[in-house]
Amino acid sequence: MKRGMFVMVKLRLKRCGRKQPVYRIVAIDVRSRREGRDLQKVGFYDPIKNQTCLNVPAILYFLEKGAQPTRTVYDILRKAEFFKEK
């Protein structure tokens, strides 16, 4: 990557489960596809069991650097009362 080049980062879901949907919440370059290489795994979401596991310091770090969560990830963070802590 060239010096001074800006990389736009998003927090989005990455599917892991084959038969049952299970997702990782990852920080990823916007130009990457959904199953592309992520910068860092910052959480886990299981919609069947309705379980969420979040790495709060990592999520805060990426949000402070300007990362944009997708609509679904934003809703997951809101349900987990992430923004009340902030």
Side-chain angles (χ1 to χ4, degrees):
M1 192 158 76
K2 293 180 182 177
R3 188 172 51 156
M5 192 162 190
F6 180 71
V7 176
M8 182 73 176
V9 176
K10 278 203 174 214
L11 296 175
R12 77 165 73 143
L13 295 177
K14 186 175 183 180
R15 185 167 175 153
C16 296
R18 242 178 217 203
K19 293 184 180 183
Q20 293 181 342
V22 177
Y23 300 93
R24 284 190 181 130
I25 301 170
V26 296
I28 195 166
D29 185 2
V30 291
R31 296 171 291 183
S32 298
R33 55 195 180 92
R34 183 184 74 175
E35 304 304 327
R37 186 171 177 188
D38 50 87
L39 300 172
Q40 184 176 353
K41 297 169 185 70
V42 295
F44 173 82
Y45 175 62
D46 185 350
I48 304 295
K49 297 178 182 174
N50 202 14
Q51 290 180 335
T52 306
C53 178
L54 301 173
N55 182 351
V56 176
I59 293 172
L60 282 174
Y61 170 78
F62 282 108
L63 289 175
E64 287 170 359
K65 295 293 181 183
Q68 295 293 315
T70 60
R71 186 44 133 173
T72 309
V73 171
Y74 179 82
D75 290 341
I76 291 168
L77 294 175
R78 191 170 40 89
K79 280 183 188 175
E81 299 180 350
F82 177 80
F83 297 108
K84 286 185 179 179
E85 297 172 13
K86 201 175 174 188

